[in-house]
Every structure is written in C-alpha cells, then in structure tokens.
Amino acid sequence: MGCAKSIWGKAAAGLVILWLSFGVHAHDLSGVWKGPWYLGMSSGVAILRLDGGQGTLHMTNNENFGADPVPLRDVSFESGMLRFRAKGSDGSAMTAVLPVREDGAIRGPVTYGGYKLRLELSLLKSEPR
C-alpha cells in the first residue's frame, strides 16, 4: 500500500511539473498571494494580487516601496516562472522572475533598487476582509 501511495505521489508531482512547463498564463495564478519579504535584517509582509495579466504588490514595513499597493507591469507566467515589474514610490524599479514551486508557493529573490529582496508567497484560500 505504501509503494502505491509513493507511485501516485510521484505521478502527481510529475503532472504538476508538466503543467508548469507548458506555459500556463498569468490569469491561472489569479488570486491573493501573501507572505514575508526579507532584505538583510529588514522584513515585512508582501501581498501580491494577480488578476489575469494585471496586479498589485503591497509591502509593509518598506518605506522606500511606499505605503500603498503598487501596480504591476509586464506580468507573465511561462515555464514555471512568474515575471513582473513594479516601481516603488521612491522611483526604484523592481524586477521579479520567481519560480512557482511544485507545492504552489512562489519563493525567490527579486531585484529592487539594486538590492536582492526575497519573497515567500502562498496563495490565500479566501481573501482577507
């Protein structure tokens, strides 16, 4: 019985990898993604809202990025990678090329104002009120 579970688990993981490799569109990641961001000893909460090829990014505790959600540009999802650009309120550019993991999490570094900032996002099951 344990061997059968292992085989089915590996098959399911293989299907996820295959699904990601076919170039799913950005709208397939639509929803609210939330998790921590880190830059050196600084951190906060990032909220990424995706709706088709559009979205916003809000980052708490990051004075340079701004207090309000920032619109995303050039949103795409191909070969398992989420890509987007954003401009913080200080005028610095953010460029993101983030892998979407097999477990559905989005985790990895982005560049912002010449620095590498790390995002660790998970899809929320329901939108917070």
Side-chain angles (χ1 to χ4, degrees), residues 3-127:
C3 184
K5 283 184 180 179
S6 176
I7 292 170
W8 285 111
K10 288 179 182 176
L15 287 174
V16 169
I17 292 169
L18 184 62
W19 171 74
L20 291 174
S21 68
F22 277 121
V24 178
H25 300 288
H27 62 72
D28 295 321
L29 294 177
S30 292
V32 179
W33 299 78
K34 184 177 181 180
W37 65 264
Y38 305 99
L39 175 61
M41 297 297 289
S42 299
S43 65
V45 175
I47 301 172
L48 177 70
R49 294 178 187 272
L50 295 174
D51 185 14
Q54 302 177 44
T56 60
L57 177 62
H58 179 239
M59 294 174 49
T60 65
N61 200 34
N62 188 334
E63 299 81 24
N64 294 334
F65 198 72
D68 297 318
V70 173
L72 303 180
R73 298 183 327 234
D74 305 326
V75 179
S76 68
F77 181 60
E78 296 176 20
S79 301
M81 302 296 278
L82 172 65
R83 291 173 167 78
F84 63 83
R85 295 181 185 274
K87 186 180 278 189
S89 64
D90 67 349
S92 295
M94 175 183 283
T95 303
V97 181
L98 296 164
V100 179
R101 297 176 3 165
E102 288 180 31
D103 63 1
I106 298 173
R107 293 197 171 109
V110 301
T111 58
Y112 176 63
Y115 296 97
K116 288 214 183 242
L117 181 140
R118 181 167 177 79
L119 295 177
E120 297 185 359
L121 307 174
S122 298
L123 183 63
L124 296 180
K125 298 205 185 298
S126 62
E127 193 166 330

